[in-house]
Amino acid sequence: MGLNEKPVSTLHEKASYDLADFEVPNGREEAWRFTPLSRLKGLHNGKAAPGGQVAAHVRAPEGVQAEWVGRDDSRVGAAYVPADRVSAQAYASFDKALVVSVPKEAELSEAIWIDVKGNGGEGAAYGHVVVEVGPMAQATLVIEHSGSAVYADNVEFVVGEGATLKVVSLQEWDDDAVHVSHHHARLAKDATFRGFAVTLGGDLVRLSPSVAYTAPGGDADLSGVYFVDAGQHLEHRLLVDHSQPNCRSNVDYRGALQGEAAHAVWIGDVVIRAEAEGTDTYELNRNLILTDGARADSVPNLEILTGEVAGAGHASASGRLDDEHIFYLQARGIPYEEARRLVVRGFLGQLVEKIEVEEIRERVLAAVEAELSR
């Protein structure tokens, strides 16, 4: 399979399974200009030697099938074509793919868990996951990342007609980890997708969630929370491709940054093609900069190719703690550090409360508290 001739948009002009179709990035390209290539450990230029040790374990409720398959399995790569060189490198390099299948009309009483653990080792590791949700089924998935690794992977979410899939992805890597990942959701008629990314750990994490619609009525909600410490680079690059009429999308990502050279990058690309009449979309990114030396880059892009939309908008804001909020709390006898915690907890907590898996929600809130206590 070679180069995909049809560009998604002027923002995303190339997609291919073939690594040779992507030039090695030099950092001047729009897609790579914010990413410190020297910290990718060779994932972008083919110099990352294999040998990294990353293991994935699955816990699935009864009725859910989880299996490891070869790349010749027809389900692998059916929903997503790699859109940059690291993604293509991961597609060319994984050994076995994990395929998780939820049967039609199933309503799972508990979440599916995929635990991805990095165990160090010299070199890089690669992965591929496919999650299929049958028509009218409802499922919740948690993907956890932890440990030490240099890791690139692709994850395909295939959501059937009238089905609902809720995904929580946690990036809680050790301080030395490098992770570059693409999460792609393909929605059938009247399908619902809820994706929530929590990115806290790692030296460099670059996560690219994307959504595509195959029929009218699709509904996607992409949310994320990140907390960036000194020296960390945490990057989220989103693409919502509205190519069908009467579909909806909503994006809301929030981050807090503290420490010298803490760097957050958020890119939000929404494309409304000419045939996507009746689209309703909105995207928002907000960053709270807690100390000097931290930097947040936020770039929302909205490309509209039809005049017949139900709604389309975007907003982005990065700033420091509101002195009035802090003063208000201090005037009521709350010490500065506690006031600071309350403001940040409220800022991020509004989103965290959307996580329906109680265990994960409590862990994320505890992790934010730990960050604020540093």
PDB file of all heavy atoms in Angstrom, residues 110-143:
ATOM      1  N   GLU A 110     -18.051  -3.268  33.018  1.00  0.00           N
ATOM      2  CA  GLU A 110     -16.770  -2.774  33.505  1.00  0.00           C
ATOM      3  C   GLU A 110     -15.862  -2.429  32.326  1.00  0.00           C
ATOM      4  O   GLU A 110     -16.111  -2.836  31.192  1.00  0.00           O
ATOM      5  CB  GLU A 110     -16.099  -3.811  34.410  1.00  0.00           C
ATOM      6  CG  GLU A 110     -15.983  -5.195  33.812  1.00  0.00           C
ATOM      7  CD  GLU A 110     -15.494  -6.204  34.835  1.00  0.00           C
ATOM      8  OE1 GLU A 110     -14.271  -6.218  35.081  1.00  0.00           O
ATOM      9  OE2 GLU A 110     -16.320  -6.967  35.367  1.00  0.00           O
ATOM     10  N   ALA A 111     -14.817  -1.674  32.614  1.00  0.00           N
ATOM     11  CA  ALA A 111     -13.943  -1.174  31.558  1.00  0.00           C
ATOM     12  C   ALA A 111     -12.962  -2.249  31.081  1.00  0.00           C
ATOM     13  O   ALA A 111     -12.603  -3.171  31.802  1.00  0.00           O
ATOM     14  CB  ALA A 111     -13.169   0.042  32.058  1.00  0.00           C
ATOM     15  N   ILE A 112     -12.543  -2.091  29.841  1.00  0.00           N
ATOM     16  CA  ILE A 112     -11.415  -2.850  29.293  1.00  0.00           C
ATOM     17  C   ILE A 112     -10.147  -2.081  29.668  1.00  0.00           C
ATOM     18  O   ILE A 112     -10.097  -0.857  29.551  1.00  0.00           O
ATOM     19  CB  ILE A 112     -11.524  -2.947  27.761  1.00  0.00           C
ATOM     20  CG1 ILE A 112     -12.866  -3.548  27.337  1.00  0.00           C
ATOM     21  CG2 ILE A 112     -10.361  -3.752  27.185  1.00  0.00           C
ATOM     22  CD1 ILE A 112     -13.201  -3.313  25.880  1.00  0.00           C
ATOM     23  N   TRP A 113      -9.108  -2.797  30.107  1.00  0.00           N
ATOM     24  CA  TRP A 113      -7.858  -2.151  30.491  1.00  0.00           C
ATOM     25  C   TRP A 113      -6.720  -2.684  29.632  1.00  0.00           C
ATOM     26  O   TRP A 113      -6.561  -3.893  29.477  1.00  0.00           O
ATOM     27  CB  TRP A 113      -7.525  -2.419  31.970  1.00  0.00           C
ATOM     28  CG  TRP A 113      -8.442  -1.746  32.935  1.00  0.00           C
ATOM     29  CD1 TRP A 113      -9.755  -2.040  33.161  1.00  0.00           C
ATOM     30  CD2 TRP A 113      -8.128  -0.654  33.798  1.00  0.00           C
ATOM     31  NE1 TRP A 113     -10.280  -1.204  34.113  1.00  0.00           N
ATOM     32  CE2 TRP A 113      -9.303  -0.351  34.538  1.00  0.00           C
ATOM     33  CE3 TRP A 113      -6.961   0.083  34.036  1.00  0.00           C
ATOM     34  CZ2 TRP A 113      -9.347   0.675  35.480  1.00  0.00           C
ATOM     35  CZ3 TRP A 113      -7.010   1.101  34.989  1.00  0.00           C
ATOM     36  CH2 TRP A 113      -8.184   1.389  35.690  1.00  0.00           C
ATOM     37  N   ILE A 114      -5.939  -1.781  29.080  1.00  0.00           N
ATOM     38  CA  ILE A 114      -4.698  -2.148  28.402  1.00  0.00           C
ATOM     39  C   ILE A 114      -3.562  -1.456  29.151  1.00  0.00           C
ATOM     40  O   ILE A 114      -3.500  -0.229  29.212  1.00  0.00           O
ATOM     41  CB  ILE A 114      -4.696  -1.722  26.923  1.00  0.00           C
ATOM     42  CG1 ILE A 114      -5.862  -2.369  26.168  1.00  0.00           C
ATOM     43  CG2 ILE A 114      -3.374  -2.106  26.263  1.00  0.00           C
ATOM     44  CD1 ILE A 114      -5.989  -1.914  24.719  1.00  0.00           C
ATOM     45  N   ASP A 115      -2.692  -2.247  29.740  1.00  0.00           N
ATOM     46  CA  ASP A 115      -1.579  -1.730  30.537  1.00  0.00           C
ATOM     47  C   ASP A 115      -0.297  -1.844  29.723  1.00  0.00           C
ATOM     48  O   ASP A 115       0.163  -2.945  29.433  1.00  0.00           O
ATOM     49  CB  ASP A 115      -1.464  -2.531  31.836  1.00  0.00           C
ATOM     50  CG  ASP A 115      -0.370  -2.012  32.750  1.00  0.00           C
ATOM     51  OD1 ASP A 115       0.107  -0.887  32.498  1.00  0.00           O
ATOM     52  OD2 ASP A 115       0.010  -2.721  33.693  1.00  0.00           O
ATOM     53  N   VAL A 116       0.251  -0.710  29.317  1.00  0.00           N
ATOM     54  CA  VAL A 116       1.480  -0.674  28.522  1.00  0.00           C
ATOM     55  C   VAL A 116       2.624  -0.268  29.444  1.00  0.00           C
ATOM     56  O   VAL A 116       2.657   0.855  29.949  1.00  0.00           O
ATOM     57  CB  VAL A 116       1.353   0.314  27.342  1.00  0.00           C
ATOM     58  CG1 VAL A 116       2.628   0.326  26.508  1.00  0.00           C
ATOM     59  CG2 VAL A 116       0.150  -0.038  26.476  1.00  0.00           C
ATOM     60  N   LYS A 117       3.552  -1.176  29.649  1.00  0.00           N
ATOM     61  CA  LYS A 117       4.630  -0.967  30.622  1.00  0.00           C
ATOM     62  C   LYS A 117       5.980  -0.992  29.926  1.00  0.00           C
ATOM     63  O   LYS A 117       6.330  -1.956  29.254  1.00  0.00           O
ATOM     64  CB  LYS A 117       4.575  -2.066  31.687  1.00  0.00           C
ATOM     65  CG  LYS A 117       5.692  -2.024  32.715  1.00  0.00           C
ATOM     66  CD  LYS A 117       5.475  -0.949  33.747  1.00  0.00           C
ATOM     67  CE  LYS A 117       6.491  -1.056  34.878  1.00  0.00           C
ATOM     68  NZ  LYS A 117       6.307   0.010  35.885  1.00  0.00           N
ATOM     69  N   GLY A 118       6.739   0.085  30.096  1.00  0.00           N
ATOM     70  CA  GLY A 118       8.097   0.126  29.564  1.00  0.00           C
ATOM     71  C   GLY A 118       9.083  -0.410  30.578  1.00  0.00           C
ATOM     72  O   GLY A 118       9.088   0.008  31.734  1.00  0.00           O
ATOM     73  N   ASN A 119       9.908  -1.344  30.140  1.00  0.00           N
ATOM     74  CA  ASN A 119      10.887  -1.974  31.023  1.00  0.00           C
ATOM     75  C   ASN A 119      12.313  -1.641  30.626  1.00  0.00           C
ATOM     76  O   ASN A 119      13.237  -2.438  30.831  1.00  0.00           O
ATOM     77  CB  ASN A 119      10.678  -3.498  31.028  1.00  0.00           C
ATOM     78  CG  ASN A 119       9.316  -3.883  31.559  1.00  0.00           C
ATOM     79  OD1 ASN A 119       8.930  -3.475  32.642  1.00  0.00           O
ATOM     80  ND2 ASN A 119       8.557  -4.644  30.777  1.00  0.00           N
ATOM     81  N   GLY A 120      12.489  -0.466  30.037  1.00  0.00           N
ATOM     82  CA  GLY A 120      13.825  -0.018  29.680  1.00  0.00           C
ATOM     83  C   GLY A 120      14.370  -0.769  28.482  1.00  0.00           C
ATOM     84  O   GLY A 120      13.674  -1.019  27.501  1.00  0.00           O
ATOM     85  N   GLY A 121      15.628  -1.161  28.567  1.00  0.00           N
ATOM     86  CA  GLY A 121      16.281  -1.802  27.435  1.00  0.00           C
ATOM     87  C   GLY A 121      16.900  -0.777  26.517  1.00  0.00           C
ATOM     88  O   GLY A 121      16.497   0.386  26.469  1.00  0.00           O
ATOM     89  N   GLU A 122      17.903  -1.207  25.785  1.00  0.00           N
ATOM     90  CA  GLU A 122      18.564  -0.307  24.838  1.00  0.00           C
ATOM     91  C   GLU A 122      17.768  -0.263  23.545  1.00  0.00           C
ATOM     92  O   GLU A 122      17.457  -1.294  22.958  1.00  0.00           O
ATOM     93  CB  GLU A 122      19.990  -0.798  24.571  1.00  0.00           C
ATOM     94  CG  GLU A 122      20.903  -0.750  25.786  1.00  0.00           C
ATOM     95  CD  GLU A 122      21.135   0.667  26.280  1.00  0.00           C
ATOM     96  OE1 GLU A 122      21.201   1.581  25.426  1.00  0.00           O
ATOM     97  OE2 GLU A 122      21.226   0.869  27.506  1.00  0.00           O
ATOM     98  N   GLY A 123      17.419   0.917  23.088  1.00  0.00           N
ATOM     99  CA  GLY A 123      16.713   1.048  21.819  1.00  0.00           C
ATOM    100  C   GLY A 123      15.239   1.325  21.988  1.00  0.00           C
ATOM    101  O   GLY A 123      14.732   1.563  23.088  1.00  0.00           O
ATOM    102  N   ALA A 124      14.536   1.272  20.859  1.00  0.00           N
ATOM    103  CA  ALA A 124      13.137   1.671  20.793  1.00  0.00           C
ATOM    104  C   ALA A 124      12.219   0.457  20.667  1.00  0.00           C
ATOM    105  O   ALA A 124      12.644  -0.633  20.290  1.00  0.00           O
ATOM    106  CB  ALA A 124      12.916   2.608  19.609  1.00  0.00           C
ATOM    107  N   ALA A 125      10.953   0.682  20.975  1.00  0.00           N
ATOM    108  CA  ALA A 125       9.919  -0.332  20.815  1.00  0.00           C
ATOM    109  C   ALA A 125       8.742   0.291  20.071  1.00  0.00           C
ATOM    110  O   ALA A 125       8.554   1.515  20.081  1.00  0.00           O
ATOM    111  CB  ALA A 125       9.471  -0.867  22.173  1.00  0.00           C
ATOM    112  N   TYR A 126       7.955  -0.581  19.420  1.00  0.00           N
ATOM    113  CA  TYR A 126       6.841  -0.105  18.588  1.00  0.00           C
ATOM    114  C   TYR A 126       5.606  -0.948  18.866  1.00  0.00           C
ATOM    115  O   TYR A 126       5.701  -2.133  19.188  1.00  0.00           O
ATOM    116  CB  TYR A 126       7.209  -0.188  17.101  1.00  0.00           C
ATOM    117  CG  TYR A 126       8.454   0.592  16.760  1.00  0.00           C
ATOM    118  CD1 TYR A 126       9.706  -0.029  16.755  1.00  0.00           C
ATOM    119  CD2 TYR A 126       8.394   1.950  16.471  1.00  0.00           C
ATOM    120  CE1 TYR A 126      10.859   0.688  16.472  1.00  0.00           C
ATOM    121  CE2 TYR A 126       9.537   2.676  16.186  1.00  0.00           C
ATOM    122  CZ  TYR A 126      10.768   2.043  16.184  1.00  0.00           C
ATOM    123  OH  TYR A 126      11.904   2.756  15.906  1.00  0.00           O
ATOM    124  N   GLY A 127       4.432  -0.321  18.739  1.00  0.00           N
ATOM    125  CA  GLY A 127       3.203  -1.039  19.021  1.00  0.00           C
ATOM    126  C   GLY A 127       2.087  -0.667  18.071  1.00  0.00           C
ATOM    127  O   GLY A 127       2.144   0.356  17.363  1.00  0.00           O
ATOM    128  N   HIS A 128       1.050  -1.518  18.055  1.00  0.00           N
ATOM    129  CA  HIS A 128      -0.147  -1.251  17.253  1.00  0.00           C
ATOM    130  C   HIS A 128      -1.340  -1.895  17.949  1.00  0.00           C
ATOM    131  O   HIS A 128      -1.290  -3.062  18.329  1.00  0.00           O
ATOM    132  CB  HIS A 128      -0.001  -1.814  15.837  1.00  0.00           C
ATOM    133  CG  HIS A 128      -0.998  -1.237  14.870  1.00  0.00           C
ATOM    134  ND1 HIS A 128      -0.678  -0.240  13.987  1.00  0.00           N
ATOM    135  CD2 HIS A 128      -2.329  -1.494  14.686  1.00  0.00           C
ATOM    136  CE1 HIS A 128      -1.754   0.089  13.273  1.00  0.00           C
ATOM    137  NE2 HIS A 128      -2.765  -0.655  13.693  1.00  0.00           N
ATOM    138  N   VAL A 129      -2.407  -1.122  18.114  1.00  0.00           N
ATOM    139  CA  VAL A 129      -3.622  -1.600  18.769  1.00  0.00           C
ATOM    140  C   VAL A 129      -4.821  -1.249  17.898  1.00  0.00           C
ATOM    141  O   VAL A 129      -4.912  -0.145  17.353  1.00  0.00           O
ATOM    142  CB  VAL A 129      -3.796  -0.972  20.170  1.00  0.00           C
ATOM    143  CG1 VAL A 129      -5.120  -1.413  20.811  1.00  0.00           C
ATOM    144  CG2 VAL A 129      -2.629  -1.322  21.078  1.00  0.00           C
ATOM    145  N   VAL A 130      -5.747  -2.201  17.764  1.00  0.00           N
ATOM    146  CA  VAL A 130      -7.021  -1.966  17.086  1.00  0.00           C
ATOM    147  C   VAL A 130      -8.140  -2.299  18.073  1.00  0.00           C
ATOM    148  O   VAL A 130      -8.144  -3.388  18.660  1.00  0.00           O
ATOM    149  CB  VAL A 130      -7.176  -2.837  15.819  1.00  0.00           C
ATOM    150  CG1 VAL A 130      -8.529  -2.575  15.154  1.00  0.00           C
ATOM    151  CG2 VAL A 130      -6.033  -2.582  14.839  1.00  0.00           C
ATOM    152  N   VAL A 131      -9.068  -1.374  18.253  1.00  0.00           N
ATOM    153  CA  VAL A 131     -10.225  -1.602  19.115  1.00  0.00           C
ATOM    154  C   VAL A 131     -11.479  -1.462  18.259  1.00  0.00           C
ATOM    155  O   VAL A 131     -11.741  -0.396  17.702  1.00  0.00           O
ATOM    156  CB  VAL A 131     -10.267  -0.607  20.291  1.00  0.00           C
ATOM    157  CG1 VAL A 131     -11.498  -0.859  21.158  1.00  0.00           C
ATOM    158  CG2 VAL A 131      -8.992  -0.708  21.119  1.00  0.00           C
ATOM    159  N   GLU A 132     -12.223  -2.561  18.130  1.00  0.00           N
ATOM    160  CA  GLU A 132     -13.449  -2.563  17.341  1.00  0.00           C
ATOM    161  C   GLU A 132     -14.659  -2.675  18.256  1.00  0.00           C
ATOM    162  O   GLU A 132     -14.720  -3.572  19.102  1.00  0.00           O
ATOM    163  CB  GLU A 132     -13.457  -3.749  16.369  1.00  0.00           C
ATOM    164  CG  GLU A 132     -12.437  -3.662  15.251  1.00  0.00           C
ATOM    165  CD  GLU A 132     -12.614  -4.785  14.239  1.00  0.00           C
ATOM    166  OE1 GLU A 132     -12.995  -5.901  14.657  1.00  0.00           O
ATOM    167  OE2 GLU A 132     -12.386  -4.548  13.044  1.00  0.00           O
ATOM    168  N   VAL A 133     -15.615  -1.768  18.084  1.00  0.00           N
ATOM    169  CA  VAL A 133     -16.847  -1.796  18.873  1.00  0.00           C
ATOM    170  C   VAL A 133     -18.003  -2.024  17.905  1.00  0.00           C
ATOM    171  O   VAL A 133     -18.244  -1.210  17.006  1.00  0.00           O
ATOM    172  CB  VAL A 133     -17.032  -0.486  19.662  1.00  0.00           C
ATOM    173  CG1 VAL A 133     -18.306  -0.549  20.505  1.00  0.00           C
ATOM    174  CG2 VAL A 133     -15.823  -0.230  20.549  1.00  0.00           C
ATOM    175  N   GLY A 134     -18.717  -3.145  18.094  1.00  0.00           N
ATOM    176  CA  GLY A 134     -19.787  -3.518  17.179  1.00  0.00           C
ATOM    177  C   GLY A 134     -20.975  -2.580  17.249  1.00  0.00           C
ATOM    178  O   GLY A 134     -21.123  -1.794  18.198  1.00  0.00           O
ATOM    179  N   PRO A 135     -21.868  -2.666  16.252  1.00  0.00           N
ATOM    180  CA  PRO A 135     -23.040  -1.788  16.212  1.00  0.00           C
ATOM    181  C   PRO A 135     -23.852  -1.849  17.499  1.00  0.00           C
ATOM    182  O   PRO A 135     -24.059  -2.924  18.078  1.00  0.00           O
ATOM    183  CB  PRO A 135     -23.846  -2.339  15.022  1.00  0.00           C
ATOM    184  CG  PRO A 135     -22.825  -2.994  14.146  1.00  0.00           C
ATOM    185  CD  PRO A 135     -21.793  -3.560  15.077  1.00  0.00           C
ATOM    186  N   MET A 136     -24.267  -0.686  17.967  1.00  0.00           N
ATOM    187  CA  MET A 136     -25.141  -0.515  19.132  1.00  0.00           C
ATOM    188  C   MET A 136     -24.504  -0.951  20.450  1.00  0.00           C
ATOM    189  O   MET A 136     -25.181  -1.004  21.479  1.00  0.00           O
ATOM    190  CB  MET A 136     -26.470  -1.257  18.940  1.00  0.00           C
ATOM    191  CG  MET A 136     -27.196  -0.899  17.654  1.00  0.00           C
ATOM    192  SD  MET A 136     -27.473   0.893  17.456  1.00  0.00           S
ATOM    193  CE  MET A 136     -28.616   1.201  18.803  1.00  0.00           C
ATOM    194  N   ALA A 137     -23.225  -1.272  20.453  1.00  0.00           N
ATOM    195  CA  ALA A 137     -22.541  -1.666  21.685  1.00  0.00           C
ATOM    196  C   ALA A 137     -22.083  -0.430  22.453  1.00  0.00           C
ATOM    197  O   ALA A 137     -21.978   0.668  21.897  1.00  0.00           O
ATOM    198  CB  ALA A 137     -21.351  -2.558  21.372  1.00  0.00           C
ATOM    199  N   GLN A 138     -21.799  -0.623  23.750  1.00  0.00           N
ATOM    200  CA  GLN A 138     -21.271   0.443  24.591  1.00  0.00           C
ATOM    201  C   GLN A 138     -20.082  -0.090  25.371  1.00  0.00           C
ATOM    202  O   GLN A 138     -20.189  -1.131  26.022  1.00  0.00           O
ATOM    203  CB  GLN A 138     -22.346   0.954  25.563  1.00  0.00           C
ATOM    204  CG  GLN A 138     -23.553   1.583  24.878  1.00  0.00           C
ATOM    205  CD  GLN A 138     -24.523   2.200  25.862  1.00  0.00           C
ATOM    206  OE1 GLN A 138     -24.129   2.682  26.917  1.00  0.00           O
ATOM    207  NE2 GLN A 138     -25.806   2.192  25.524  1.00  0.00           N
ATOM    208  N   ALA A 139     -18.967   0.626  25.309  1.00  0.00           N
ATOM    209  CA  ALA A 139     -17.757   0.142  25.963  1.00  0.00           C
ATOM    210  C   ALA A 139     -16.924   1.301  26.467  1.00  0.00           C
ATOM    211  O   ALA A 139     -16.959   2.406  25.918  1.00  0.00           O
ATOM    212  CB  ALA A 139     -16.926  -0.708  24.998  1.00  0.00           C
ATOM    213  N   THR A 140     -16.170   1.023  27.533  1.00  0.00           N
ATOM    214  CA  THR A 140     -15.206   1.968  28.087  1.00  0.00           C
ATOM    215  C   THR A 140     -13.843   1.299  28.092  1.00  0.00           C
ATOM    216  O   THR A 140     -13.724   0.123  28.452  1.00  0.00           O
ATOM    217  CB  THR A 140     -15.594   2.376  29.524  1.00  0.00           C
ATOM    218  OG1 THR A 140     -16.865   3.013  29.505  1.00  0.00           O
ATOM    219  CG2 THR A 140     -14.568   3.326  30.114  1.00  0.00           C
ATOM    220  N   LEU A 141     -12.827   2.043  27.686  1.00  0.00           N
ATOM    221  CA  LEU A 141     -11.466   1.519  27.579  1.00  0.00           C
ATOM    222  C   LEU A 141     -10.505   2.436  28.313  1.00  0.00           C
ATOM    223  O   LEU A 141     -10.571   3.661  28.183  1.00  0.00           O
ATOM    224  CB  LEU A 141     -11.056   1.424  26.105  1.00  0.00           C
ATOM    225  CG  LEU A 141      -9.596   1.131  25.782  1.00  0.00           C
ATOM    226  CD1 LEU A 141      -9.215  -0.290  26.182  1.00  0.00           C
ATOM    227  CD2 LEU A 141      -9.311   1.352  24.292  1.00  0.00           C
ATOM    228  N   VAL A 142      -9.599   1.838  29.090  1.00  0.00           N
ATOM    229  CA  VAL A 142      -8.526   2.578  29.735  1.00  0.00           C
ATOM    230  C   VAL A 142      -7.196   2.064  29.180  1.00  0.00           C
ATOM    231  O   VAL A 142      -6.947   0.856  29.170  1.00  0.00           O
ATOM    232  CB  VAL A 142      -8.550   2.394  31.267  1.00  0.00           C
ATOM    233  CG1 VAL A 142      -7.365   3.110  31.912  1.00  0.00           C
ATOM    234  CG2 VAL A 142      -9.859   2.913  31.850  1.00  0.00           C
ATOM    235  N   ILE A 143      -6.351   2.973  28.700  1.00  0.00           N
ATOM    236  CA  ILE A 143      -5.004   2.616  28.250  1.00  0.00           C
ATOM    237  C   ILE A 143      -4.011   3.331  29.152  1.00  0.00           C
ATOM    238  O   ILE A 143      -3.976   4.561  29.191  1.00  0.00           O
ATOM    239  CB  ILE A 143      -4.749   3.019  26.788  1.00  0.00           C
ATOM    240  CG1 ILE A 143      -5.854   2.494  25.864  1.00  0.00           C
ATOM    241  CG2 ILE A 143      -3.400   2.493  26.320  1.00  0.00           C
ATOM    242  CD1 ILE A 143      -5.692   2.917  24.415  1.00  0.00           C
TER     243      ILE A 143
END
